[in-house]
Amino acid sequence: MNEQDELPAVKQQSKLTTTRIHIKLKKTLKTELEQKASENFMSLSQLLLQSARTSTITIKRTDAPKSSKELLVMTAAYNKFGSQLNMLAKHCNTFKENSNTMKILSCLIDIERGITELKAELLGEL
């Protein structure tokens, strides 16, 4: 009985404390990494672990909008253009035969100009 009591303790000590990480790679990149690992007599896991431990990662941060007010103005303008496009689409679907094509094209051109002006203003190209 003494041996049976010790057996579960041995099993508990030998439990692995590892975990898995799943990543998505293109097949060509996976093949390239596997080739690099085999050239260095390593498994793919060993190569990735060594690379992660010895490399320095630089994170590039992008600047947030200058103020939340600018973001709100931009969002409101895009919503306005979207609303105009929805009204035109509804009109075209409702009055297919009687639609004034020239007026619709004129409205679409106005919306396109508005989006272009907004883009130029946001990117500082005005």
Side-chain angles (χ1 to χ4, degrees), residues 10-52:
V10 171
K11 284 186 179 180
Q12 286 178 354
Q13 290 175 355
S14 66
K15 280 187 179 178
L16 295 176
T17 57
T18 61
T19 185
R20 288 185 175 263
I21 296 176
H22 298 275
I23 60 172
K24 290 185 179 183
L25 300 173
K26 290 188 176 186
K27 288 181 181 181
T28 55
L29 179 57
K30 182 181 178 192
T31 304
E32 179 184 330
L33 292 174
E34 288 173 333
Q35 178 66 31
K36 189 179 263 190
S38 69
E39 288 171 359
N40 291 291
F41 307 103
M42 305 173 135
S43 69
L44 183 56
S45 294
Q46 290 170 327
L47 176 77
L48 294 173
L49 283 171
Q50 183 178 358
S51 297

Side-chain angles (χ1 to χ4, degrees), residues 69-81 118 122:
K69 186 176 180 180
E70 289 177 354
L71 184 60
L72 289 174
V73 169
M74 180 186 75
T75 303
Y78 273 114
N79 288 341
K80 182 179 176 184
F81 293 130
L118 178 64
L122 290 173

Side-chain angles (χ1 to χ4, degrees), residues 84-85 87-89 91-92 99-114:
Q84 291 173 345
L85 287 172
M87 286 188 287
L88 282 170
H91 175 80
C92 291
S99 292
N100 185 344
T101 306
M102 293 308 290
K103 188 171 185 175
I104 293 170
L105 286 174
S106 174
C107 289
L108 288 171
I109 290 169
D110 289 343
I111 292 170
E112 181 183 28
R113 284 183 186 148

Side-chain angles (χ1 to χ4, degrees), residues 10 12-13 15 32 37 52 57 59-60 86 89 115-116 119:
V10 171
Q12 286 178 354
Q13 290 175 355
K15 280 187 179 178
E32 179 184 330
I57 298 172
I59 299 173
K60 295 180 181 178
N86 286 336
I115 291 172
T116 303
K119 179 182 173 187

